[in-house]
Amino acid sequence: LATSGEEHVSFLTEIIKQLWDYLNVAGGDMIRETMEPVLSKMTPAIFLQKMDLGHVPIQLDNIVVHQIDKEKGILQFDMDLIWDGECDIQLK
């Protein structure tokens, strides 16, 4: 199965755009939770003070859907992720 038009891409991108404020917070929290232990092992004096992914949402393009297991309903999505964001990451 493959998506055949821009309509699918713009639909998913529109969802991300509408949810971006929430995804920004959740993504920033996830990155912080992942990076803080790594930073503390490297040097305990450095930690993430601010993690903001910016106001520009991620866009999805060239989405291809592969049916991995029809009986179990398992699909695999291959896609290009486009992001021209202006992150604000501050270490202290």
Side-chain angles (χ1 to χ4, degrees):
L1 299 170
T3 59
S4 59
E6 294 297 315
E7 187 172 74
H8 297 285
V9 174
S10 58
F11 171 73
L12 292 173
T13 298
E14 186 61 32
I15 290 173
I16 292 171
K17 183 178 178 182
Q18 290 179 15
L19 295 175
W20 185 248
D21 290 341
Y22 304 103
L23 295 172
N24 182 5
V25 172
D29 289 347
M30 186 172 59
I31 292 169
R32 177 176 304 188
E33 290 171 6
T34 303
M35 290 304 300
E36 282 184 340
V38 173
L39 289 172
S40 68
K41 286 181 182 176
M42 290 174 35
T43 175
I46 295 178
F47 64 94
L48 285 168
Q49 183 175 1
K50 184 177 182 181
M51 185 71 213
D52 183 357
L53 301 179
H55 66 279
V56 178
I58 292 169
Q59 297 178 23
L60 305 177
D61 198 6
N62 298 322
I63 298 173
V64 179
V65 181
H66 306 280
Q67 193 168 31
I68 303 299
D69 188 330
K70 188 174 184 175
E71 290 178 10
K72 294 181 181 179
I74 299 174
L75 302 175
Q76 176 180 321
F77 292 79
D78 291 327
M79 65 190 80
D80 294 336
L81 188 124
I82 303 163
W83 185 38
D84 190 17
E86 296 178 9
C87 293
D88 186 4
I89 301 169
Q90 298 175 10
L91 301 174
K92 185 173 183 181

